[in-house]
């Protein structure tokens, strides 16, 4: 399995699950990021990737403030 769980990472370093089993991450023209998991769930969030731990199947987003 190559899916990853995507987490929010807040300013205090705390994490919370945004979406599990994500297989698509697509940056959009407006700066948002589209996510889709293996169950067909979809989300679009205003965020940027903070870090990726691919061996552990974890991707961390932080909110994008414009």
């Amino acid at each position: 399995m190559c899916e990853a769980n995507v987490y929010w990472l807040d300013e205090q370093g705390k994490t919370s699950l945004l979406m599990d089993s994500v297989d698509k991450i697509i940056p959009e023209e407006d700066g948002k990021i589209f996510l889709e998991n293996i169950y067909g769930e979809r989300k679009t969030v205003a965020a940027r990737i903070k870090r990726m731990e691919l061996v552990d199947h974890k991707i961390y987003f932080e909110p994008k403030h414009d």
Side-chain angles (χ1 to χ4, degrees), residues 8-51:
W8 281 117
L9 180 62
D10 71 16
E11 295 173 358
Q12 288 79 38
K14 294 181 182 177
T15 61
S16 59
L17 182 64
L18 174 60
M19 182 180 278
D20 67 332
S21 303
V22 174
D23 71 339
K24 292 181 184 173
I25 297 176
I26 303 170
E28 297 188 338
E29 294 291 324
D30 60 2
K32 294 180 180 178
I33 300 174
F34 171 83
L35 306 167
E36 183 175 304
N37 68 12
I38 61 172
Y39 310 112
E41 298 171 330
R42 298 175 177 167
K43 289 185 181 178
T44 301
V45 295
R48 63 181 172 196
I49 295 173
K50 181 68 174 178
R51 74 172 188 262

